[in-house]
Amino acid sequence: MSEPILSVEGLHVSYGRVDAVRDVSFAVEPGALVALIGANGAGKTSILNAIAGLVRPRSGAVRFNGRDITRKPAYRLVKAGLVQVPEGREILGTLTVDENLSLGGWHRSRTMAGSIAEVYERFPILHERRKLPAGALSGGEQQMLAIARSLVAKPEVLLLDEPSMGLAPKIIDEVFAVIAEIRATGTTVVLVEQNARRALAAADVGYVLETGEITHSGPARDLLSDERVIEAYLGLS
Ligand code: ATP
């Protein structure tokens, strides 16, 4: 086994008296796609935010490329190659598509134009709409924009929070196709999803969270056929 590119050890996140994440540990191999699944409020977003430097964990450690990055500010982590696509996309609706993409490359002004040209090649629809305010895009296009914006930052590890949220099934297919493409380029992906079946189908390894704790973990294909996981998260379909 190679050294993990990212690891979380004994992570604990609290908001006042609410313990959102309790003693969570996992490691991510370079190039892997790892899915964190679980019900609403299970602590998935809190884990991503703690990794990305957006929430201060109460205890525990996060390591990225062998370095302890616990409590490092988010902007430093983006520069180092750890980039998050937030839940709800956080597109700036009054700015154009072009301007939103430029925000993804704020820290790499010399090479940004090339990165934006690359993402336009991958997302021709965004190129077509580049002069429009981002708020005029459909939900699916806005999700593509949020992902494209993160790619401008050239992530080594991409943290994706609920990319399928609120999208129609056909658009969800497109989003998962893009995730598979990103992964095929060698980018490591940590995917948080309520759409457990789709997430596990795309992932190598899965972790199931329940009220802040990991209750099941293993190769994603094993979780997809695990009776306890099926009963609790995958329904009977
Ligand atoms: P969702 O799918 O709804 O985003 P989640 O699995 O990502 O759920 P979290 O958003 O991490 O879960 O929330 C875990 C717990 O922490 C929940 O009980 C939630 O109410 C609580 N929580 C999250 N953010 C805050 C906050 N800023 N202040 C107080 N409590 C919070």
Side-chain angles (χ1 to χ4, degrees):
M1 271 196 357
S2 48
E3 282 289 298
I5 189 166
L6 179 73
S7 65
V8 169
E9 292 146 28
L11 188 72
H12 202 117
V13 177
S14 307
Y15 305 100
R17 287 199 204 143
V18 178
D19 287 326
V21 178
R22 289 179 287 164
D23 196 22
V24 162
S25 300
F26 62 93
V28 182
E29 302 276 308
L33 199 164
V34 167
L36 307 181
I37 63 167
N40 213 316
K44 307 179 298 296
T45 296
S46 298
I47 293 172
L48 280 201
N49 284 346
I51 294 172
L54 296 170
V55 152
R56 278 176 83 83
R58 200 177 84 192
S59 54
V62 183
R63 297 180 74 80
F64 172 51
N65 269 330
R67 290 187 8 235
D68 186 345
I69 60 159
T70 323
R71 299 183 190 85
K72 290 263 182 298
Y75 76 92
R76 295 217 5 224
L77 299 179
V78 172
K79 284 187 183 177
L82 187 65
V83 181
Q84 186 178 22
V85 180
E87 184 174 0
R89 297 153 203 155
E90 297 190 16
I91 290 301
L92 298 172
T94 56
L95 300 186
T96 65
V97 167
D98 237 349
E99 288 164 341
N100 271 278
L101 289 179
S102 301
L103 293 174
W106 57 271
H107 59 300
R108 350 183 8 250
S109 50
R110 277 186 306 124
T111 51
M112 184 166 73
S115 300
I116 292 181
E118 275 174 35
V119 305
Y120 276 145
E121 261 179 51
R122 185 180 281 175
F123 300 94
I125 189 74
L126 296 181
H127 187 250
E128 262 173 47
R129 305 214 189 303
R130 65 191 181 282
K131 300 289 178 216
L132 290 181
L137 303 185
S138 69
E141 289 164 355
Q142 289 190 16
Q143 183 60 64
M144 294 302 180
L145 177 57
I147 294 174
R149 182 179 58 188
S150 74
L151 296 181
V152 172
K154 297 262 184 210
E156 224 182 308
V157 173
L158 188 62
L159 309 172
L160 276 170
D161 198 349
E162 300 268 7
S164 78
M165 191 164 65
L167 301 179
K170 186 171 155 283
I171 312 296
I172 294 177
D173 289 345
E174 289 174 22
V175 168
F176 273 92
V178 165
I179 295 170
E181 269 175 48
I182 292 170
R183 187 270 167 80
T185 65
T187 306
T188 306
V189 178
V190 181
L191 171 64
V192 157
E193 263 296 338
Q194 282 199 41
N195 195 331
R197 191 181 291 281
R198 292 301 301 261
L200 290 176
D204 305 298
V205 178
Y207 293 89
V208 180
L209 280 138
E210 222 170 274
T211 55
E213 287 176 304
I214 294 174
T215 52
H216 308 283
S217 63
R221 87 174 76 83
D222 293 355
L223 293 178
L224 272 173
S225 57
D226 183 318
E227 292 296 332
R228 295 162 306 173
V229 176
I230 292 172
E231 202 177 310
Y233 301 101
L234 304 176
L236 299 170
S237 59

